[in-house]
Structure formats: structure tokens, C-alpha cells
Amino acid sequence: MMKKKYCISSYCHIRDNTISLNGKTIYTGQHSDLKSLTKSAYRHFDIDYPKFFKMDNLSRLGFLAAEILLTNEGVLPENEEDIAIVLSNRASSLDTDRKHWESIRDSHNYYPSPAIFVYTLPNICIGEISIRHKLYSENSFFIFDEFNPNHLFSYANGLLDTEKTRKVLCGWVDVDGPVYKAFLYLVGKEGPVLHSIEEITRLF
Amino acid sequence: MGKGIAITGMGIISAIGNNVEENYRSLVEGKKGISRIVKIDTVHKDALMVGEIDFTNQELEAYLGLDTNNNYSRSALLGAYAARQAVSDAKITDVNSSKTGLVSATTVGGMDKTEQYYYKYFEDKKVQKYIEGHHAGDSTQKIAEQLGIHNSLVTTISTACSSAANAILFGARLLKSGKLDRVIVGGTDGLSKFTLNGFKTLMIQSDTYNTPFDENRKGLNLGEAAAFLVLESDKSVQRENKEVLAYVKGWGNANDAFHQTASSEHGDGATLAMQKALKVGGLKGEEIDYINAHGTATPNNDLSEGRAFLRVFGNGVPDFSSTKGYTGHTLAAAGGVEAVFSVLALRHNVIFPNLNFKNPMKEFHLRPRAELKKRKLNTVLSNSLGFGGNCSTLIFSKEA
Amino acid sequence: MEALKEELKSKIIEQLNLEDVSVDEIADDDPLFGDGLGLDSIDALELIVMLDKDYGIKLADPKEGKKIFESVGTMADYIAQHKTK
């Protein structure tokens, strides 16, 4: 059987105070932390989704990258498009785990926050993207020591080959203290970049 | 065209037993593993009930032959213990004799040790070894070492309470696509203060025995467990003339796209996951003989999942029960634990009772199977529904 | 009472990260959940923590919150009657 070829139609990076879409910088700022970067980017792109401000850093980062990428692709929630989500990172939900831990460690000042606890799982980030864009397709979150293009490549191909989905939103969303990076890309039948391990590695 | 994904070995450790046989005995005898917290030093001792495993860390270390310098977290210990059982059950003597992978699920990883030593890390060099054991992937690496898996696919999945179900789903696909001949799949989560306190903030933990699908359910009991299955391709089964315990017949995953932790009112994600699994398995709803429900006994889950049953099966909802009354909710391990229970149900032709059920819910007429029932079973469906809206369904069958 | 209501409004905005809402936009009898401020179940739990932390009121059953958190007005009434700190 001939292996089908797929393409990357758009990709988005958020790193070092800079947001870029398909390699072009579309927003840059001077922010001391991820929270203020994502907030001002939210304003800059005129996003109307107040729940954004309740999200933790990991979800904000993934949400923002997905928002920019899917808006560019013309994906509308009302169409409930068939897009699967496969994300990965290194630090899991560690950034928020620490915050939850801080709130339970002192028995004299013990007021753990449910709003923080709900984000102590990395795949909540996928949930937030799914809720926003009404994506009911398959989704999974993997943890690796470092970016693993082989895994993402074969997982996305598997989903597309077996027609489990029409498109796959893939990538890396990682937050660990002050260090953060998001790289999302959309794989489907058409697009300017060939979906291959080399290209994914190059774009990352 | 291959026959299917064969299950050739199982291993489990949970609050109701330290191996497959003990778990089975507890299931048929209706013996629950829920009690007050003994092993964790917490102020919530009297307010919560949990499913704790009898073995201490020291006993597990001794079993695994670890020296005192080891830095295994409880999740790693439990995982290695259960995975080794599964491999020996599958009569694998050399794990590297064919392409064998490991897909392990966890959510808490080494959180227990971090809680214990967090303040000592700066001054006490002896405990610093546990820092490396904190991250989720570490427990998987340790299980791989314990099994002696080299140079193969070893990975960790973390999608909340559906994690182990997704590990099984991913393993099945790896075999189907020919990437591996054998894969050990499952999950492990030890109890930790992190999760006890976290679920407490969500106010969905019961202070007494959990009562799935009951009108007066008060919430879940957290539990700890590890459970692994050995999956093999047809080729591998034929080559080694293996006994097959059951088959993974169908699988499906979908997102509920509703809320970070709550399930949608009508169980959209669960409905989609079950429908996808039926499609992959080439099965009709009426061909499902028993459902091992996710049934956590939270007001929200059981209502949403029950409505999803009605959407998928209409008037013909099969016999169903939740086994969380025995083990508590074992989070990332739950999908693995319940896969083992589903296979046991098939092998012994028995439906395990939904413990502690008294009053049907007022929203619908569904009643779980509250008594043990002997019945010929050919297919069992198992649901695992996770925070983040991650919903997974697996279907197990006697025939490929 | 008025002071308590004002205090609650700013606390709600801060605690629940209602970035685009200001104190004078919340009327005393505006519904907090559903169509009003659009709060959800996690917000309700967060308000339960706030009752405990700031006013020494412990709710054992989240269902109790439903009536109490109907609006800023009902919250203020409840707090005025039950607060222990």
C-alpha cells in the first residue's frame, strides 16, 4: 500500500516574548513573565473569551497558539470541525503543581484553591482548546525528555491514515517556571510544508 | 488481515489484592478495599476514605530486589511490581526476544517523595536522589529497567483518569500498524497528599464508602493501584504458540469539549468514545454483554455517563456496574485496573456487582447490576472518562 | 451592609479573575451564575474557599452554595449572619 503524504498548513510559535505565525513575527513585547505576555497578546489580537483569564500558564500558552493558528485557518467553533489534538511537553503541569503544593504545605494557612488544582494535569490544556473550538475528536498528551518529532509524526500519520480524523493539531507546549515555549502545527491533506520528521524538526 | 490484538498476560496490585487471583477473589466475594487512611500522614485522616494497598514501600522494594540507595517513588514501585507480574503471566522469559515496547500512564509520578522531602532537599544530600524521581516519565523508565526493555518504544501518557485506557489504546495501535510485536500497557498511581487535597478542593470526595449510580451518592474515594497487560500481535502469538486471555476488540477516544473537570450534561464525550469503539470493533450496541462503567460515584460523572449509555444503547442498555466501590478511583491506573477486571469477567463469565447501590437515580430508570451475576459473556465494554474532557472506551472480547 | 457588598464585588472580581468586569458593573441582585456573570462550578468552589478563608464560614456540602451565591446581595446577607471572623 502506498503511504499517503500529508502537509502542514500553518504553524505557530510562542517563545522569548515573541509570537510568530508561519515563521513571521506577528507580536512581540517586553514582558517579565508569561502571564503578562499572554494577557497583552490576548488584548492585541482582540480575543473575546473571558475564561482565558482563569487559565493557568500552560493552558494560556496552548490556548493562545491554537487560537492564532486556527483563526488563521478559518476554523469556526460552530462548524465543530474534525480536528484531533496531540500535544507533548517535558514539564507536564509542574508549573501549576508547584502552586497547588504551596497552598497545601502549611497547615495553619491551608486554603488550597480548586481553580488551581484543576490545572494540575497537562491535558487540561487540550480540554481548553477543545472547549473553545468545539473539537470533539481524539486527543492525547505525551511527556518526553525532549521534543520528539518522530513520535508526533507517526501518531498524526496513524490518525490520518486510518481516517480517525481529518486534521491533527500537533505540537509542544511547555512551561517550567520562567521558561516557556509553544510550537503548534496543523497537519492535513493540503498545505505548503510537507509533513515529515525533517520539516517538523526544522520548524521547531 | 490479522485477527486482532491479543492479551496474553496481566498483572495488578490494588486495594483488593496483590495479584490477579486475589483481585478476582475479592471481586466475587464482594470484598471492598476502602478504609480510613493509614499510610499517609494527613490532617484529613478522619474525613476521607481511600483504597490503600497493604504493601509498604519497604515490602515492595524487597520484592523488586532494590537496595537502600534506590529512588523509587510509590508509583514506580507499584508499576514495576504489576508490570513484572504481567510479563511473567505472559510467560515471557526474554523481553527483548522480539520488538517489545512499554506504554505506561501516571498522573502523580513521584509526588509522594516530593511531599515527604521537599523541605529537606536543601540540607539533606541523602534525599536529593528523589528529585530526579519526581517527573512522570521517571516511573516509566524504572518499569522499563525492571523489565529489562532496551532500545524500544518506551513512553508515558498523562491524560488524567483516562490515562491507562489511552495507554492500552495506543499500544493496540502500535501492534496494528506493525511498529511492535509486543507491548506492555497500563498505568500506575500511588496515593499522595497532592491528589487527596486537590480532590478535596473540588468537594467530590466521599467521607464514607462510595456508591456509584446511587441517587444519594456523595462522591468518590481515591485509591492507589497499578495494572498492566501484555498485548501481542497475531504473528507473535502464533510464533510462540501463546495462550490468549482475551482480545482488545475496539477502542475510541473523544473530547467532551465542555469543562476542565466537569462532564457535560448529556455525556457528549463518553457517547462519542463508545460509538467510535463500537465502530472500530465492528460491533453493534446489542452485541455488548457487560459494561464496566467509569462510575466514580460523583453526582456529575454518574449522571452524565448514564445518559451517554442511553444515547448509545437506547432501550437496550447492557448489564453494567462500576467496580470503584471495591478499589476506589485509582486515577491514571483506573483504565488498566478495569481492563484486568473486564478480562476476568470474560474469562469467568461473571458480572461483578456494583457495591453499595441502594436507590436508583431520579433522572433515569437505569440500575446497575448490584448482585454478582453468572452469565456467558462475549464482549465487555469499559469506559474511562478523564478531567480535561478526555473520554476513552475499550472493548474486550473472547474471540478476535 | 453596603460596604460588605462592595467588598464582595471586588473580591469576586479578583479571586475569580474576571478581567473585564468592574465593581460598578455588578448590581446587587445580578445573578452570579448562568447568564449573569457566567460563573461555573469551579468558581462556586472558589467562593466556598473564600467564605472559609475570609469570613470563617465552612460549608460542608457544595449544594448549599447554590442559594447563598445567587447574587452579591444573598451572599452579603448570608455572611452577615454567619461570619465568625
Side-chain angles (χ1 to χ4, degrees), chain B residues 262-285:
Chain B
S263 304
S264 60
E265 205 182 329
H266 295 281
D268 298 342
T271 302
L272 284 168
M274 286 188 274
Q275 286 167 342
K276 284 184 187 184
L278 287 167
K279 198 173 153 209
V280 168
L283 293 165
K284 292 196 218 51

mmCIF file of all heavy atoms in Angstrom, chain B residues 262-285:
data_model
loop_
_atom_site.group_PDB
_atom_site.id
_atom_site.type_symbol
_atom_site.label_atom_id
_atom_site.label_comp_id
_atom_site.label_asym_id
_atom_site.label_seq_id
_atom_site.Cartn_x
_atom_site.Cartn_y
_atom_site.Cartn_z
ATOM 1 N N ALA B 262 -15.611 19.076 34.907
ATOM 2 C CA ALA B 262 -16.967 18.515 34.919
ATOM 3 C C ALA B 262 -17.297 17.861 33.578
ATOM 4 O O ALA B 262 -16.795 18.264 32.539
ATOM 5 C CB ALA B 262 -17.972 19.619 35.209
ATOM 6 N N SER B 263 -18.149 16.843 33.617
ATOM 7 C CA SER B 263 -18.619 16.212 32.385
ATOM 8 C C SER B 263 -19.853 16.950 31.894
ATOM 9 O O SER B 263 -20.623 17.475 32.689
ATOM 10 C CB SER B 263 -19.012 14.756 32.635
ATOM 11 O OG SER B 263 -17.950 14.052 33.190
ATOM 12 N N SER B 264 -20.052 16.935 30.583
ATOM 13 C CA SER B 264 -21.199 17.632 30.016
ATOM 14 C C SER B 264 -22.486 16.954 30.470
ATOM 15 O O SER B 264 -22.502 15.774 30.812
ATOM 16 C CB SER B 264 -21.116 17.650 28.492
ATOM 17 O OG SER B 264 -21.094 16.329 28.004
ATOM 18 N N GLU B 265 -23.564 17.714 30.422
ATOM 19 C CA GLU B 265 -24.825 17.243 30.965
ATOM 20 C C GLU B 265 -25.277 15.919 30.343
ATOM 21 O O GLU B 265 -25.800 15.051 31.019
ATOM 22 C CB GLU B 265 -25.868 18.328 30.713
ATOM 23 C CG GLU B 265 -27.008 18.296 31.687
ATOM 24 C CD GLU B 265 -28.036 19.367 31.340
ATOM 25 O OE1 GLU B 265 -27.634 20.421 30.800
ATOM 26 O OE2 GLU B 265 -29.222 19.124 31.598
ATOM 27 N N HIS B 266 -25.075 15.788 29.047
ATOM 28 C CA HIS B 266 -25.576 14.592 28.373
ATOM 29 C C HIS B 266 -24.463 13.649 27.936
ATOM 30 O O HIS B 266 -24.661 12.787 27.086
ATOM 31 C CB HIS B 266 -26.465 14.989 27.197
ATOM 32 C CG HIS B 266 -27.709 15.698 27.647
ATOM 33 N ND1 HIS B 266 -28.794 15.026 28.151
ATOM 34 C CD2 HIS B 266 -27.998 17.015 27.744
ATOM 35 C CE1 HIS B 266 -29.722 15.902 28.519
ATOM 36 N NE2 HIS B 266 -29.260 17.120 28.287
ATOM 37 N N GLY B 267 -23.274 13.841 28.483
ATOM 38 C CA GLY B 267 -22.189 12.900 28.208
ATOM 39 C C GLY B 267 -21.757 12.854 26.752
ATOM 40 O O GLY B 267 -21.598 11.778 26.184
ATOM 41 N N ASP B 268 -21.551 14.020 26.151
ATOM 42 C CA ASP B 268 -21.188 14.059 24.726
ATOM 43 C C ASP B 268 -19.915 13.273 24.435
ATOM 44 O O ASP B 268 -19.852 12.490 23.498
ATOM 45 C CB ASP B 268 -20.969 15.518 24.283
ATOM 46 C CG ASP B 268 -22.227 16.346 24.424
ATOM 47 O OD1 ASP B 268 -23.313 15.747 24.518
ATOM 48 O OD2 ASP B 268 -22.118 17.593 24.442
ATOM 49 N N GLY B 269 -18.878 13.508 25.245
ATOM 50 C CA GLY B 269 -17.583 12.860 25.005
ATOM 51 C C GLY B 269 -17.674 11.354 25.189
ATOM 52 O O GLY B 269 -17.157 10.584 24.372
ATOM 53 N N ALA B 270 -18.341 10.926 26.264
ATOM 54 C CA ALA B 270 -18.479 9.491 26.531
ATOM 55 C C ALA B 270 -19.273 8.823 25.411
ATOM 56 O O ALA B 270 -18.946 7.728 24.955
ATOM 57 C CB ALA B 270 -19.164 9.272 27.878
ATOM 58 N N THR B 271 -20.323 9.491 24.940
ATOM 59 C CA THR B 271 -21.133 8.947 23.844
ATOM 60 C C THR B 271 -20.270 8.730 22.606
ATOM 61 O O THR B 271 -20.267 7.656 21.998
ATOM 62 C CB THR B 271 -22.285 9.923 23.503
ATOM 63 O OG1 THR B 271 -23.067 10.111 24.678
ATOM 64 C CG2 THR B 271 -23.162 9.392 22.390
ATOM 65 N N LEU B 272 -19.504 9.761 22.243
ATOM 66 C CA LEU B 272 -18.647 9.657 21.057
ATOM 67 C C LEU B 272 -17.613 8.552 21.209
ATOM 68 O O LEU B 272 -17.357 7.789 20.276
ATOM 69 C CB LEU B 272 -17.927 10.990 20.820
ATOM 70 C CG LEU B 272 -18.764 12.111 20.212
ATOM 71 C CD1 LEU B 272 -18.022 13.434 20.308
ATOM 72 C CD2 LEU B 272 -19.075 11.793 18.753
ATOM 73 N N ALA B 273 -16.999 8.468 22.399
ATOM 74 C CA ALA B 273 -15.958 7.454 22.612
ATOM 75 C C ALA B 273 -16.540 6.051 22.458
ATOM 76 O O ALA B 273 -15.950 5.186 21.798
ATOM 77 C CB ALA B 273 -15.324 7.628 23.988
ATOM 78 N N MET B 274 -17.728 5.815 23.037
ATOM 79 C CA MET B 274 -18.347 4.487 22.925
ATOM 80 C C MET B 274 -18.715 4.183 21.472
ATOM 81 O O MET B 274 -18.493 3.068 20.990
ATOM 82 C CB MET B 274 -19.587 4.400 23.828
ATOM 83 C CG MET B 274 -19.236 4.280 25.304
ATOM 84 S SD MET B 274 -20.675 3.936 26.350
ATOM 85 C CE MET B 274 -21.298 5.568 26.665
ATOM 86 N N GLN B 275 -19.252 5.191 20.780
ATOM 87 C CA GLN B 275 -19.634 4.973 19.380
ATOM 88 C C GLN B 275 -18.416 4.641 18.517
ATOM 89 O O GLN B 275 -18.452 3.753 17.665
ATOM 90 C CB GLN B 275 -20.358 6.207 18.829
ATOM 91 C CG GLN B 275 -21.776 6.322 19.374
ATOM 92 C CD GLN B 275 -22.416 7.681 19.121
ATOM 93 O OE1 GLN B 275 -21.712 8.654 18.828
ATOM 94 N NE2 GLN B 275 -23.731 7.753 19.237
ATOM 95 N N LYS B 276 -17.322 5.372 18.769
ATOM 96 C CA LYS B 276 -16.100 5.111 17.988
ATOM 97 C C LYS B 276 -15.574 3.702 18.252
ATOM 98 O O LYS B 276 -15.130 3.014 17.339
ATOM 99 C CB LYS B 276 -15.008 6.111 18.371
ATOM 100 C CG LYS B 276 -15.190 7.509 17.800
ATOM 101 C CD LYS B 276 -13.971 8.364 18.177
ATOM 102 C CE LYS B 276 -14.175 9.824 17.776
ATOM 103 N NZ LYS B 276 -12.985 10.634 18.037
ATOM 104 N N ALA B 277 -15.603 3.301 19.531
ATOM 105 C CA ALA B 277 -15.074 1.976 19.877
ATOM 106 C C ALA B 277 -15.907 0.865 19.229
ATOM 107 O O ALA B 277 -15.371 -0.129 18.744
ATOM 108 C CB ALA B 277 -15.038 1.800 21.391
ATOM 109 N N LEU B 278 -17.229 1.049 19.217
ATOM 110 C CA LEU B 278 -18.097 0.064 18.575
ATOM 111 C C LEU B 278 -17.767 -0.027 17.089
ATOM 112 O O LEU B 278 -17.681 -1.117 16.521
ATOM 113 C CB LEU B 278 -19.575 0.444 18.760
ATOM 114 C CG LEU B 278 -20.149 0.242 20.168
ATOM 115 C CD1 LEU B 278 -21.498 0.942 20.313
ATOM 116 C CD2 LEU B 278 -20.304 -1.250 20.486
ATOM 117 N N LYS B 279 -17.519 1.125 16.483
ATOM 118 C CA LYS B 279 -17.216 1.162 15.054
ATOM 119 C C LYS B 279 -15.886 0.449 14.761
ATOM 120 O O LYS B 279 -15.804 -0.373 13.852
ATOM 121 C CB LYS B 279 -17.165 2.623 14.594
ATOM 122 C CG LYS B 279 -17.299 2.778 13.109
ATOM 123 C CD LYS B 279 -17.406 4.240 12.702
ATOM 124 C CE LYS B 279 -16.868 4.385 11.293
ATOM 125 N NZ LYS B 279 -16.291 5.701 11.054
ATOM 126 N N VAL B 280 -14.866 0.774 15.559
ATOM 127 C CA VAL B 280 -13.561 0.130 15.361
ATOM 128 C C VAL B 280 -13.689 -1.388 15.526
ATOM 129 O O VAL B 280 -13.078 -2.165 14.788
ATOM 130 C CB VAL B 280 -12.505 0.689 16.353
ATOM 131 C CG1 VAL B 280 -11.246 -0.168 16.359
ATOM 132 C CG2 VAL B 280 -12.168 2.134 16.004
ATOM 133 N N GLY B 281 -14.506 -1.811 16.495
ATOM 134 C CA GLY B 281 -14.672 -3.241 16.750
ATOM 135 C C GLY B 281 -15.641 -3.921 15.795
ATOM 136 O O GLY B 281 -15.811 -5.136 15.838
ATOM 137 N N GLY B 282 -16.285 -3.127 14.943
ATOM 138 C CA GLY B 282 -17.277 -3.691 14.024
ATOM 139 C C GLY B 282 -18.446 -4.321 14.774
ATOM 140 O O GLY B 282 -18.970 -5.362 14.380
ATOM 141 N N LEU B 283 -18.840 -3.700 15.871
ATOM 142 C CA LEU B 283 -19.884 -4.283 16.716
ATOM 143 C C LEU B 283 -21.116 -3.391 16.761
ATOM 144 O O LEU B 283 -21.017 -2.172 16.628
ATOM 145 C CB LEU B 283 -19.362 -4.449 18.145
ATOM 146 C CG LEU B 283 -18.231 -5.462 18.368
ATOM 147 C CD1 LEU B 283 -17.598 -5.239 19.726
ATOM 148 C CD2 LEU B 283 -18.771 -6.881 18.250
ATOM 149 N N LYS B 284 -22.260 -4.012 16.984
ATOM 150 C CA LYS B 284 -23.479 -3.249 17.231
ATOM 151 C C LYS B 284 -23.679 -3.152 18.739
ATOM 152 O O LYS B 284 -23.187 -3.996 19.491
ATOM 153 C CB LYS B 284 -24.678 -3.963 16.607
ATOM 154 C CG LYS B 284 -24.666 -3.972 15.096
ATOM 155 C CD LYS B 284 -26.056 -4.342 14.621
ATOM 156 C CE LYS B 284 -26.106 -5.225 13.418
ATOM 157 N NZ LYS B 284 -25.355 -6.448 13.353
ATOM 158 N N GLY B 285 -24.436 -2.149 19.155
ATOM 159 C CA GLY B 285 -24.664 -1.954 20.584
ATOM 160 C C GLY B 285 -25.168 -3.214 21.279
ATOM 161 O O GLY B 285 -24.734 -3.559 22.372
#
